[in-house]
Tab-separated table of all heavy atoms in Angstrom:
chain	number	residue	atom	x	y	z
B	29	PRO	N	60.007	95.548	106.186
B	29	PRO	CA	61.049	96.517	106.469
B	29	PRO	C	60.865	97.883	105.786
B	29	PRO	O	61.054	98.916	106.406
B	29	PRO	CB	62.333	95.845	105.966
B	29	PRO	CG	62.010	94.419	105.938
B	29	PRO	CD	60.564	94.265	105.719
B	30	ALA	N	60.451	97.863	104.518
B	30	ALA	CA	60.311	99.124	103.768
B	30	ALA	C	59.213	99.987	104.413
B	30	ALA	O	59.358	101.188	104.581
B	30	ALA	CB	59.962	98.838	102.327
B	31	GLU	N	58.101	99.343	104.796
B	31	GLU	CA	56.989	100.102	105.414
B	31	GLU	C	57.397	100.605	106.787
B	31	GLU	O	56.972	101.674	107.228
B	31	GLU	CB	55.754	99.227	105.487
B	31	GLU	CG	55.057	99.052	104.171
B	31	GLU	CD	53.678	98.480	104.309
B	31	GLU	OE1	53.079	98.638	105.400
B	31	GLU	OE2	53.182	97.873	103.344
B	32	ARG	N	58.226	99.781	107.483
B	32	ARG	CA	58.667	100.173	108.808
B	32	ARG	C	59.548	101.419	108.707
B	32	ARG	O	59.428	102.352	109.472
B	32	ARG	CB	59.450	99.040	109.442
B	32	ARG	CG	59.249	99.017	110.974
B	32	ARG	CD	59.676	97.753	111.646
B	32	ARG	NE	60.927	97.210	111.206
B	32	ARG	CZ	61.099	95.963	110.782
B	32	ARG	NH1	60.066	95.169	110.708
B	32	ARG	NH2	62.284	95.515	110.409
B	33	ARG	N	60.400	101.428	107.688
B	33	ARG	CA	61.295	102.593	107.484
B	33	ARG	C	60.469	103.851	107.200
B	33	ARG	O	60.747	104.921	107.725
B	33	ARG	CB	62.256	102.318	106.308
B	33	ARG	CG	63.579	101.671	106.740
B	33	ARG	CD	64.643	101.881	105.655
B	33	ARG	NE	64.225	101.419	104.330
B	33	ARG	CZ	64.349	100.177	103.911
B	33	ARG	NH1	64.856	99.258	104.703
B	33	ARG	NH2	63.954	99.823	102.706
B	34	THR	N	59.470	103.659	106.338
B	34	THR	CA	58.594	104.809	106.010
B	34	THR	C	57.861	105.333	107.238
B	34	THR	O	57.762	106.525	107.469
B	34	THR	CB	57.543	104.390	104.936
B	34	THR	OG1	58.239	103.822	103.868
B	34	THR	CG2	56.762	105.575	104.459
B	35	SER	N	57.366	104.389	108.073
B	35	SER	CA	56.652	104.814	109.259
B	35	SER	C	57.587	105.574	110.214
B	35	SER	O	57.184	106.603	110.799
B	35	SER	CB	56.099	103.602	110.012
B	35	SER	OG	55.267	102.882	109.135
B	36	VAL	N	58.831	105.096	110.314
B	36	VAL	CA	59.807	105.778	111.193
B	36	VAL	C	60.070	107.186	110.649
B	36	VAL	O	60.111	108.175	111.414
B	36	VAL	CB	61.108	104.978	111.295
B	36	VAL	CG1	62.190	105.768	111.984
B	36	VAL	CG2	60.863	103.694	112.071
B	37	LEU	N	60.234	107.257	109.323
B	37	LEU	CA	60.522	108.538	108.669
B	37	LEU	C	59.397	109.555	108.954
B	37	LEU	O	59.645	110.715	109.311
B	37	LEU	CB	60.640	108.313	107.148
B	37	LEU	CG	61.177	109.471	106.314
B	37	LEU	CD1	62.659	109.668	106.580
B	37	LEU	CD2	60.963	109.202	104.827
B	38	VAL	N	58.135	109.129	108.781
B	38	VAL	CA	56.994	109.984	109.024
B	38	VAL	C	56.936	110.414	110.487
B	38	VAL	O	56.669	111.571	110.806
B	38	VAL	CB	55.680	109.281	108.616
B	38	VAL	CG1	54.469	110.148	108.991
B	38	VAL	CG2	55.658	109.069	107.114
B	39	GLY	N	57.240	109.439	111.363
B	39	GLY	CA	57.308	109.742	112.772
B	39	GLY	C	58.344	110.838	113.090
B	39	GLY	O	58.064	111.769	113.864
B	40	VAL	N	59.487	110.721	112.466
B	40	VAL	CA	60.558	111.736	112.655
B	40	VAL	C	60.105	113.107	112.148
B	40	VAL	O	60.251	114.119	112.859
B	40	VAL	CB	61.865	111.299	111.944
B	40	VAL	CG1	62.879	112.443	111.919
B	40	VAL	CG2	62.465	110.093	112.623
B	41	TYR	N	59.482	113.105	110.952
B	41	TYR	CA	59.008	114.388	110.399
B	41	TYR	C	57.948	115.016	111.317
B	41	TYR	O	57.960	116.214	111.609
B	41	TYR	CB	58.398	114.192	109.017
B	41	TYR	CG	59.376	113.876	107.939
B	41	TYR	CD1	59.027	113.111	106.813
B	41	TYR	CD2	60.688	114.325	108.009
B	41	TYR	CE1	59.923	112.846	105.813
B	41	TYR	CE2	61.618	114.043	107.023
B	41	TYR	CZ	61.225	113.289	105.904
B	41	TYR	OH	62.120	113.018	104.926
B	42	ALA	N	57.018	114.162	111.800
B	42	ALA	CA	55.940	114.679	112.660
B	42	ALA	C	56.519	115.244	113.978
B	42	ALA	O	56.134	116.296	114.427
B	42	ALA	CB	54.917	113.589	112.937
B	43	ALA	N	57.482	114.493	114.537
B	43	ALA	CA	58.091	114.920	115.796
B	43	ALA	C	58.844	116.237	115.617
B	43	ALA	O	58.734	117.152	116.420
B	43	ALA	CB	59.027	113.832	116.329
B	44	LEU	N	59.585	116.306	114.492
B	44	LEU	CA	60.306	117.562	114.189
B	44	LEU	C	59.378	118.718	114.022
B	44	LEU	O	59.646	119.823	114.534
B	44	LEU	CB	61.116	117.380	112.878
B	44	LEU	CG	62.589	117.043	113.002
B	44	LEU	CD1	63.169	116.747	111.624
B	44	LEU	CD2	63.333	118.188	113.669
B	45	SER	N	58.300	118.490	113.301
B	45	SER	CA	57.305	119.568	113.083
B	45	SER	C	56.711	120.037	114.398
B	45	SER	O	56.566	121.248	114.646
B	45	SER	CB	56.177	119.111	112.167
B	45	SER	OG	56.699	118.630	110.969
B	46	LEU	N	56.349	119.074	115.266
B	46	LEU	CA	55.754	119.440	116.544
B	46	LEU	C	56.765	120.214	117.421
B	46	LEU	O	56.413	121.199	118.066
B	46	LEU	CB	55.309	118.172	117.287
B	46	LEU	CG	53.993	117.580	116.777
B	46	LEU	CD1	53.752	116.231	117.419
B	46	LEU	CD2	52.833	118.496	117.078
B	47	LEU	N	58.026	119.755	117.361
B	47	LEU	CA	59.074	120.433	118.123
B	47	LEU	C	59.223	121.892	117.636
B	47	LEU	O	59.336	122.820	118.440
B	47	LEU	CB	60.411	119.704	117.934
B	47	LEU	CG	61.561	120.168	118.823
B	47	LEU	CD1	61.302	119.746	120.261
B	47	LEU	CD2	62.895	119.554	118.334
B	48	LEU	N	59.167	122.058	116.310
B	48	LEU	CA	59.268	123.398	115.744
B	48	LEU	C	58.071	124.253	116.126
B	48	LEU	O	58.208	125.465	116.412
B	48	LEU	CB	59.383	123.333	114.198
B	48	LEU	CG	60.732	122.925	113.671
B	48	LEU	CD1	60.677	122.604	112.200
B	48	LEU	CD2	61.773	124.054	113.925
B	49	LEU	N	56.883	123.617	116.153
B	49	LEU	CA	55.689	124.348	116.548
B	49	LEU	C	55.801	124.884	117.973
B	49	LEU	O	55.353	125.985	118.287
B	49	LEU	CB	54.468	123.472	116.435
B	49	LEU	CG	53.635	123.557	115.185
B	49	LEU	CD1	52.577	122.498	115.148
B	49	LEU	CD2	52.994	124.924	115.064
B	50	LEU	N	56.416	124.052	118.821
B	50	LEU	CA	56.526	124.427	120.252
B	50	LEU	C	57.660	125.420	120.488
B	50	LEU	O	57.557	126.309	121.339
B	50	LEU	CB	56.740	123.175	121.095
B	50	LEU	CG	55.581	122.199	121.122
B	50	LEU	CD1	55.935	120.919	121.811
B	50	LEU	CD2	54.363	122.837	121.772
B	51	THR	N	58.750	125.277	119.720
B	51	THR	CA	59.918	126.094	120.028
B	51	THR	C	60.305	127.080	118.905
B	51	THR	O	61.255	127.816	119.053
B	51	THR	CB	61.162	125.189	120.300
B	51	THR	OG1	61.420	124.437	119.080
B	51	THR	CG2	60.941	124.245	121.452
B	52	GLY	N	59.534	127.021	117.776
B	52	GLY	CA	59.909	127.779	116.599
B	52	GLY	C	60.068	129.265	116.788
B	52	GLY	O	60.920	129.914	116.195
B	53	ASP	N	59.241	129.826	117.708
B	53	ASP	CA	59.308	131.285	117.912
B	53	ASP	C	60.595	131.744	118.553
B	53	ASP	O	60.964	132.915	118.496
B	53	ASP	CB	58.114	131.717	118.789
B	53	ASP	CG	56.807	131.688	117.993
B	53	ASP	OD1	56.902	131.630	116.774
B	53	ASP	OD2	55.750	131.668	118.633
B	54	ARG	N	61.302	130.761	119.177
B	54	ARG	CA	62.566	131.136	119.809
B	54	ARG	C	63.769	130.923	118.905
B	54	ARG	O	64.896	131.245	119.240
B	54	ARG	CB	62.751	130.308	121.107
B	54	ARG	CG	62.003	130.880	122.275
B	54	ARG	CD	62.012	129.967	123.447
B	54	ARG	NE	60.708	129.310	123.611
B	54	ARG	CZ	60.480	128.226	124.324
B	54	ARG	NH1	61.492	127.628	124.947
B	54	ARG	NH2	59.295	127.720	124.422
B	55	ILE	N	63.522	130.336	117.738
B	55	ILE	CA	64.626	130.091	116.785
B	55	ILE	C	64.804	131.327	115.903
B	55	ILE	O	63.825	131.823	115.340
B	55	ILE	CB	64.334	128.868	115.900
B	55	ILE	CG1	64.152	127.608	116.787
B	55	ILE	CG2	65.437	128.631	114.885
B	55	ILE	CD1	63.632	126.409	116.039
B	56	PRO	N	66.054	131.846	115.775
B	56	PRO	CA	66.254	133.001	114.913
B	56	PRO	C	66.187	132.587	113.406
B	56	PRO	O	67.112	132.006	112.884
B	56	PRO	CB	67.646	133.504	115.282
B	56	PRO	CG	68.323	132.361	115.911
B	56	PRO	CD	67.295	131.442	116.428
B	57	THR	N	65.041	132.873	112.788
B	57	THR	CA	64.841	132.422	111.409
B	57	THR	C	65.052	133.539	110.379
B	57	THR	O	64.945	133.289	109.187
B	57	THR	CB	63.404	131.865	111.250
B	57	THR	OG1	62.506	132.829	111.760
B	57	THR	CG2	63.235	130.549	111.969
B	58	ALA	N	65.389	134.750	110.847
B	58	ALA	CA	65.530	135.853	109.917
B	58	ALA	C	66.607	135.589	108.882
B	58	ALA	O	66.465	135.917	107.698
B	58	ALA	CB	65.823	137.126	110.688
B	59	LEU	N	67.686	134.967	109.334
B	59	LEU	CA	68.825	134.672	108.435
B	59	LEU	C	68.375	133.712	107.300
B	59	LEU	O	68.681	133.931	106.148
B	59	LEU	CB	69.973	134.062	109.232
B	59	LEU	CG	71.342	134.167	108.614
B	59	LEU	CD1	71.822	135.606	108.629
B	59	LEU	CD2	72.353	133.274	109.364
B	60	LEU	N	67.614	132.700	107.709
B	60	LEU	CA	67.139	131.729	106.719
B	60	LEU	C	66.167	132.392	105.718
B	60	LEU	O	66.207	132.129	104.543
B	60	LEU	CB	66.371	130.586	107.441
B	60	LEU	CG	67.256	129.444	107.965
B	60	LEU	CD1	66.427	128.532	108.838
B	60	LEU	CD2	67.839	128.672	106.794
B	61	ARG	N	65.299	133.280	106.265
B	61	ARG	CA	64.394	134.000	105.366
B	61	ARG	C	65.144	134.885	104.388
B	61	ARG	O	64.793	135.019	103.241
B	61	ARG	CB	63.404	134.814	106.180
B	61	ARG	CG	62.086	134.110	106.451
B	61	ARG	CD	61.021	135.066	106.902
B	61	ARG	NE	61.426	135.781	108.098
B	61	ARG	CZ	61.410	135.269	109.289
B	61	ARG	NH1	61.040	134.023	109.499
B	61	ARG	NH2	61.809	135.962	110.343
B	62	GLY	N	66.225	135.498	104.927
B	62	GLY	CA	67.060	136.340	104.083
B	62	GLY	C	67.677	135.529	102.945
B	62	GLY	O	67.699	135.953	101.788
B	63	PHE	N	68.147	134.343	103.294
B	63	PHE	CA	68.741	133.451	102.254
B	63	PHE	C	67.652	133.047	101.236
B	63	PHE	O	67.889	133.063	100.051
B	63	PHE	CB	69.360	132.227	102.933
B	63	PHE	CG	69.876	131.225	101.955
B	63	PHE	CD1	71.028	131.491	101.205
B	63	PHE	CD2	69.202	130.020	101.744
B	63	PHE	CE1	71.500	130.550	100.312
B	63	PHE	CE2	69.677	129.089	100.813
B	63	PHE	CZ	70.843	129.364	100.121
B	64	GLY	N	66.473	132.701	101.769
B	64	GLY	CA	65.364	132.325	100.897
B	64	GLY	C	64.964	133.458	99.967
B	64	GLY	O	64.762	133.250	98.764
B	65	ALA	N	64.916	134.660	100.514
B	65	ALA	CA	64.556	135.851	99.672
B	65	ALA	C	65.612	136.056	98.604
B	65	ALA	O	65.258	136.351	97.437
B	65	ALA	CB	64.439	137.091	100.561
B	66	TRP	N	66.862	135.913	98.955
B	66	TRP	CA	67.957	136.102	97.972
B	66	TRP	C	67.881	135.040	96.883
B	66	TRP	O	68.067	135.303	95.726
B	66	TRP	CB	69.313	136.029	98.726
B	66	TRP	CG	70.490	135.999	97.817
B	66	TRP	CD1	71.076	137.066	97.224
B	66	TRP	CD2	71.231	134.844	97.409
B	66	TRP	NE1	72.140	136.658	96.471
B	66	TRP	CE2	72.266	135.283	96.552
B	66	TRP	CE3	71.123	133.456	97.688
B	66	TRP	CZ2	73.200	134.430	95.976
B	66	TRP	CZ3	72.048	132.617	97.096
B	66	TRP	CH2	73.064	133.081	96.260
B	67	LEU	N	67.548	133.800	97.317
B	67	LEU	CA	67.471	132.667	96.385
B	67	LEU	C	66.322	132.819	95.417
B	67	LEU	O	66.414	132.560	94.223
B	67	LEU	CB	67.330	131.394	97.200
B	67	LEU	CG	67.582	130.074	96.498
B	67	LEU	CD1	69.083	129.887	96.302
B	67	LEU	CD2	67.060	128.918	97.352
B	68	PHE	N	65.178	133.312	95.962
B	68	PHE	CA	63.972	133.338	95.142
B	68	PHE	C	63.822	134.633	94.345
B	68	PHE	O	63.035	134.680	93.393
B	68	PHE	CB	62.734	133.132	96.027
B	68	PHE	CG	62.403	131.711	96.284
B	68	PHE	CD1	63.018	131.008	97.284
B	68	PHE	CD2	61.510	131.034	95.479
B	68	PHE	CE1	62.744	129.656	97.517
B	68	PHE	CE2	61.216	129.707	95.706
B	68	PHE	CZ	61.828	129.014	96.715
B	69	ALA	N	64.559	135.674	94.746
B	69	ALA	CA	64.358	136.986	94.112
B	69	ALA	C	64.495	136.945	92.584
B	69	ALA	O	63.605	137.459	91.869
B	69	ALA	CB	65.301	138.019	94.697
B	70	PRO	N	65.546	136.324	92.017
B	70	PRO	CA	65.642	136.284	90.545
B	70	PRO	C	64.484	135.516	89.900
B	70	PRO	O	63.965	135.931	88.870
B	70	PRO	CB	66.984	135.571	90.287
B	70	PRO	CG	67.703	135.518	91.573
B	70	PRO	CD	66.682	135.670	92.651
B	71	LEU	N	64.073	134.440	90.551
B	71	LEU	CA	62.976	133.630	90.002
B	71	LEU	C	61.653	134.403	90.090
B	71	LEU	O	60.848	134.396	89.154
B	71	LEU	CB	62.843	132.318	90.786
B	71	LEU	CG	64.070	131.398	90.745
B	71	LEU	CD1	63.935	130.246	91.708
B	71	LEU	CD2	64.265	130.872	89.339
B	72	ASP	N	61.456	135.067	91.240
B	72	ASP	CA	60.239	135.897	91.386
B	72	ASP	C	60.160	136.949	90.266
B	72	ASP	O	59.117	137.193	89.685
B	72	ASP	CB	60.256	136.614	92.750
B	72	ASP	CG	59.839	135.678	93.871
B	72	ASP	OD1	59.024	134.804	93.616
B	72	ASP	OD2	60.326	135.860	94.990
B	73	ARG	N	61.333	137.536	89.986
B	73	ARG	CA	61.382	138.604	88.962
B	73	ARG	C	60.958	138.028	87.617
B	73	ARG	O	60.182	138.658	86.870
B	73	ARG	CB	62.790	139.159	88.840
B	73	ARG	CG	63.094	140.182	89.906
B	73	ARG	CD	64.314	141.011	89.575
B	73	ARG	NE	64.581	141.940	90.667
B	73	ARG	CZ	65.479	141.753	91.610
B	73	ARG	NH1	66.226	140.687	91.620
B	73	ARG	NH2	65.648	142.631	92.587
B	74	VAL	N	61.448	136.836	87.291
B	74	VAL	CA	61.131	136.223	85.986
B	74	VAL	C	59.624	135.949	85.899
B	74	VAL	O	58.959	136.275	84.941
B	74	VAL	CB	61.938	134.898	85.804
B	74	VAL	CG1	61.424	134.151	84.574
B	74	VAL	CG2	63.397	135.216	85.667
Side-chain angles (χ1 to χ4, degrees):
Chain B
E31 285 194 23
R32 214 165 43 235
R33 270 200 305 275
T34 307
S35 303
V36 170
L37 191 71
V38 174
V40 169
Y41 289 152
L44 260 174
S45 304
L46 283 171
L47 188 71
L48 283 168
L49 262 174
L50 294 173
T51 61
D53 287 343
R54 278 171 254 162
I55 300 170
T57 50
L59 201 70
L60 275 171
R61 264 196 303 284
F63 175 71
W66 172 80
L67 195 74
F68 275 85
L71 300 171
D72 282 329
R73 280 197 181 98
V74 171

